[in-house]
Amino acid sequence: MTGFVDQARALVGLVYAWRAPGQLSVMTGVRTTAAVLVPLLVGQLANHPAIGLMAGVGGLNVSPADIGGPYRVKAMTMGMAMISMATAALLGTIVG
């Protein structure tokens, strides 16, 4: 049950940037910045800024799920976050 609670907290972004109480993880900030900046730059260079913006927002939304640990755990957690965000966007579009 503890693992599920940790993943749930990571999905809502409560623990993604904290290494220990009072310490921010610089690498988390660098990865999140890259997840947003690279798609924005590629979209601008390809003359498709809207697609770059959508990919950058997707990276920003999924990056809080990067909780560290083994690759399999990170992949599952980030995959769950991606599916949850896509489902929320679809429901928001349908509802209006």
Side-chain angles (χ1 to χ4, degrees):
M1 186 72 171
T2 305
F4 177 76
V5 172
D6 290 340
Q7 285 187 349
R9 285 183 180 158
L11 285 175
V12 296
L14 295 177
V15 295
Y16 76 96
W18 299 100
R19 296 175 70 190
Q23 291 183 335
L24 286 174
S25 171
V26 174
M27 286 309 298
T28 300
V30 170
R31 282 193 304 266
T32 302
T33 302
V36 175
L37 188 61
V38 171
L40 287 174
L41 289 175
V42 170
Q44 287 292 329
L45 293 174
N47 288 328
H48 295 289
I51 293 174
L53 179 63
M54 286 188 291
V57 169
L60 181 63
N61 286 333
V62 173
S63 64
D66 185 7
I67 60 173
Y71 179 76
R72 182 177 176 153
V73 172
K74 288 198 298 189
M76 288 178 59
T77 305
M78 293 178 82
M80 287 173 39
M82 179 183 63
I83 291 169
S84 300
M85 290 294 186
T87 303
L90 176 66
L91 289 174
T93 302
I94 290 172
V95 171

